[in-house]
Amino acid sequence: MAQKTTIIVGGGLAGLSAAIEAATTNAAMHVILVDKENNIGGNSAKATSGINGMTETGDSWEAFERDTLESGGGLSNESMVHKLVHESVDALQWLKQQDTTLDLSLVSQCGGHTYPRTHRCPPKPNGSPVPVGWRLIQALKQRFEQLDNASVRTQSRVSRLETDPNTGAITGVELNHNEMLPANAVILTCGGFGGQTQPLDQPDGTQTLLSQYAPNLLNIATTNGPWANGDGIRLGVAVGAATKDMDQIQIHPTGFVDPNNPKAGTKFLAPEALRAYGGVLLNTDGHRFTNELGRRDAVTQSILDQSSNVVWLVLTDTMIEQFGPSTAEFYAKRGFFVKCSSIDHLAEHLGVSATILNDEFARYDLHVDGKKTTDTTVSSVPDAFGKTIFPNPLAQGPEVNYWVAQITPCVHYTMGGLAINTDAAVLSEHTKQPIPGLYAAGEVTSGVHGKNRLAGNSLLECVVYGRTAGQNAAKYCNEKQ
Ligand SMILES: Cc1cc2nc3c(=O)[nH]c(=O)nc-3n(C[C@H](O)[C@H](O)[C@H](O)COP(=O)(O)OP(=O)(O)OC[C@H]3O[C@@H](n4cnc5c(N)ncnc54)[C@H](O)[C@@H]3O)c2cc1C
Ligand SMILES: *[C@@H]1O[C@H](CO)[C@@H](O)[C@H](O)[C@H]1NC(C)=O
Ligand SMILES: *[C@@H]1O[C@H](CO)[C@@H](O)[C@H](O)[C@H]1NC(C)=O
């Protein structure tokens, strides 16, 4: 049998997962991972909140599935979500098999989740942080480089897919508009299109996908890298692929506003885990206005409803201790967090009266007390904004210090993309059947997240559907003469 080639377009978490599976499912397969950037990693390397996996304690398949479907608001595909959830435990195990030193033992409960199930890495013994996305890329990159017949080509932008004019089957890719690489199967793992928040893609007048599908979001800041430009969607559509939910864009409620460069178009993410440990949001008047642990779309909307789109994120030092002081110090060094030594100091920084903060914090802490004691009169008072989880008090303890940052909503994630099935096969717009030899996984696809993606479900999707894409591409190559 002649040697077969699978080309994977995009070296983020989905691409690496697909590449490793393609190479190990069929040892004789030649696997080439191409990426247009100087380094692989994509947006995957920027992830900090974590990757979801059902846990043994409290959680259940049903709860995880229900949270994901509810968040998707009726647009998610149930079979695709079922697969995502039921393969989550396996996905985490597989990651650890690729690198036995990978530690994903920190688990937090992020917005919209009814149980803690978002896994990330503990800091190094010397206290320095280990960002989860970067660590996962490092683990899989190392593993991929050890495989035979597997290679990486960077600075190689796939500019076109080639198909057989008779069968429509994939036959190769064009690189940088000038080089052809033949392939028996291609897996698109190019990521989403949230990195281009300008109207034009090219000086020649090509529109960005964001301006086509969500013109109201043009020119707002983004957390994405500029490489997230929708190439994969365009490549697929050019060979007849269907798309779905292209107008479903997630705005992350909390991007850090850099006081030294408040208008910067790309912003650092203030990870959701900050709110998971009890971080609260205050408007410019010093008042809470939302359930900080509500779903992303709801928190974002509540910020946009304030008189200013820039609001305050406030944490106590206890919360910072639980979140990870080394990561918080990193943000403080960049000027995102300012430390205040008392409520008075905090009030001064916010430009509001200390009475407002004292009242606001005391009201909040009633709920924390309610959880800790059996005093039913206290615990039966519901939070005005519907918050039900109160990880830490705001004003208790002898000397509470506060960490405060300015945050604003940013374009974060594109839920829509290429239409695939549960085999990760790309579907044709015309026939609704798979395009022979074309697979896709990760943010370039649609189907799992619907109207609103839950924290941690994207990295999980990359691993679950990336692995499936790699396995099925290898099988397809084997079966083909
Ligand atoms: C700041 C930030 C934090 C996040 N935190 C989390 C989190 O904690 N948990 C979570 O689940 N999700 C998180 N997300 C979302 C998640 O990181 C991404 O959705 C996910 O990593 C996408 O992975 P991917 O493999 O599909 O694409 P990417 O990781 O973006 O990789 C795509 C790659 O394809 C390459 N590429 C694109 N077009 C071409 C082309 N034409 N030719 C060659 N190469 C090409 C790009 O250069 C890039 O390297 C976060 C996102 C951001 C921006
Ligand atoms: C690469 O694949 C060929 C079969 O196509 C195989 O003979 C060869 O051993 C493989 N190379 C390595 C280094 O594994
Ligand atoms: C969901 O995906 C499955 C499997 O890929 C497919 O058979 C089904 O038609 C899809 N459902 C909807 C409602 O699109």
Side-chain angles (χ1 to χ4, degrees):
M1 190 170 67
Q3 187 172 17
K4 299 289 175 62
T5 301
T6 294
I7 293 177
I8 290 115
V9 191
L13 186 60
L16 280 165
S17 301
I20 292 170
E21 286 290 359
T24 51
T25 302
N26 178 352
M29 170 93 77
H30 186 206
V31 174
I32 310 172
L33 176 64
V34 298
D35 200 295
K36 63 180 153 80
E37 299 296 314
N38 296 336
N39 296 299
I40 64 171
N43 276 347
S44 302
K46 296 176 77 155
T48 45
S49 284
I51 177 164
N52 294 338
M54 203 202 56
T55 65
E56 308 279 299
T57 46
D59 203 355
S60 70
W61 303 120
E62 294 73 25
F64 189 176
E65 219 170 315
R66 191 176 53 238
D67 290 348
T68 304
L69 287 172
E70 275 181 9
S71 187
L75 289 185
S76 313
N77 180 300
E78 289 186 20
S79 332
M80 292 190 64
V81 169
H82 183 85
K83 177 182 166 80
L84 179 87
V85 165
H86 285 259
E87 293 182 17
S88 65
V89 173
D90 228 35
L92 264 59
Q93 243 160 28
W94 181 82
L95 287 170
K96 289 179 208 153
Q97 282 162 8
Q98 308 311 305
D99 179 348
T100 51
T101 67
L102 178 65
D103 183 351
L104 291 170
S105 58
L106 278 188
V107 182
S108 50
Q109 179 169 356
C110 292
H113 290 280
T114 43
Y115 294 102
R117 56 170 82 100
T118 306
H119 299 247
R120 63 192 211 285
C121 311
K124 290 190 193 148
N126 70 4
S128 61
V130 182
V132 60
W134 172 85
R135 180 68 183 87
L136 291 175
I137 292 296
Q138 184 200 41
L140 295 193
K141 182 177 176 221
Q142 207 171 342
R143 168 82 174 117
F144 183 70
E145 284 168 350
Q146 290 164 355
L147 296 170
D148 293 325
N149 277 341
S151 53
V152 178
R153 289 187 59 165
T154 51
Q155 296 180 319
S156 302
R157 180 178 189 179
V158 170
S159 38
R160 194 166 57 81
L161 300 179
E162 199 179 56
T163 54
D164 181 318
N166 297 318
T167 62
I170 295 293
T171 55
V173 307
E174 178 195 70
L175 291 186
N176 302 323
H177 296 287
N178 60 23
E179 181 188 351
M180 284 306 304
L181 281 184
N184 305 91
V186 167
I187 306 175
L188 296 173
T189 48
C190 307
F193 58 95
Q196 276 184 324
T197 51
Q198 302 299 311
L200 297 184
D201 176 36
Q202 303 289 330
D204 71 5
T206 319
Q207 276 199 319
T208 59
L209 290 176
L210 201 76
S211 72
Q212 239 171 294
Y213 290 98
N216 56 320
L217 299 177
L218 281 181
N219 299 316
I220 89 164
T222 178
T223 61
N224 285 204
W227 50 80
N229 67 351
D231 263 5
I233 296 167
R234 289 201 178 97
L235 289 169
V237 166
V239 296
T243 58
K244 188 175 166 316
D245 300 339
M246 287 292 287
D247 57 348
Q248 298 299 317
I249 317 280
Q250 180 165 74
I251 309 299
H252 196 292
T254 60
F256 279 122
V257 176
D258 182 350
N260 301 312
N261 188 5
K263 297 254 176 284
T266 305
K267 298 211 185 312
F268 267 83
L269 185 72
E272 192 151 325
L274 288 164
R275 281 172 287 134
Y277 294 105
V280 290
L281 297 174
L282 302 179
N283 63 20
T284 48
D285 299 329
H287 292 296
R288 276 184 69 227
F289 55 88
T290 194
N291 169 8
E292 290 84 356
L293 285 174
R295 267 179 11 214
R296 284 185 180 167
D297 49 354
V299 179
T300 293
Q301 193 52 52
S302 68
I303 296 173
L304 298 178
D305 290 344
Q306 301 306 303
S307 60
S308 161
N309 288 351
V310 178
V311 298
W312 303 103
L313 170 65
V314 177
L315 290 94
T316 63
D317 43 8
T318 307
M319 298 172 190
I320 291 288
E321 197 56 46
Q322 294 171 4
F323 165 77
S326 50
T327 309
E329 285 293 354
F330 168 83
Y331 297 135
K333 248 189 228 117
R334 293 192 151 253
F336 302 155
F337 269 124
V338 170
K339 298 177 208 175
C340 299
S341 56
S342 62
I343 287 198
D344 287 346
H345 185 186
L346 178 65
E348 195 183 310
H349 185 72
L350 268 51
V352 301
S353 91
T355 321
I356 290 182
L357 295 187
N358 274 313
D359 287 356
E360 198 67 52
F361 290 4
R363 201 158 39 236
Y364 183 92
D365 285 352
L366 285 179
H367 302 289
V368 186
D369 287 349
K371 269 194 104 179
K372 278 191 190 151
T373 69
T374 52
D375 183 346
T376 51
T377 53
V378 173
S379 60
S380 66
V381 179
D383 174 54
F385 308 103
K387 193 168 183 166
T388 55
I389 304 155
F390 300 87
N392 282 297
L394 283 173
Q396 287 160 34
E399 273 169 40
V400 186
N401 299 303
Y402 296 95
W403 295 56
V404 56
Q406 285 183 294
I407 62 92
T408 196
C410 292
V411 169
H412 185 55
Y413 186 86
T414 47
M415 268 80 66
L418 297 173
I420 61 167
N421 61 17
T422 44
D423 294 332
V426 176
L427 303 176
S428 148
E429 169 73 34
H430 185 56
T431 66
K432 311 293 175 214
Q433 296 303 307
I435 296 174
L438 189 59
Y439 298 84
E443 196 171 341
V444 73
T445 67
S446 60
V448 166
H449 311 292
K451 277 191 174 63
N452 182 61
R453 175 180 70 88
L454 284 185
N457 264 357
S458 173
L459 294 181
L460 175 62
E461 169 186 39
C462 288
V463 179
V464 167
Y465 282 91
R467 291 184 65 197
T468 297
Q471 291 159 4
N472 287 336
K475 281 187 209 142
Y476 170 85
C477 290
N478 273 350
E479 286 159 11
K480 243 183 74 157
Q481 284 317 299

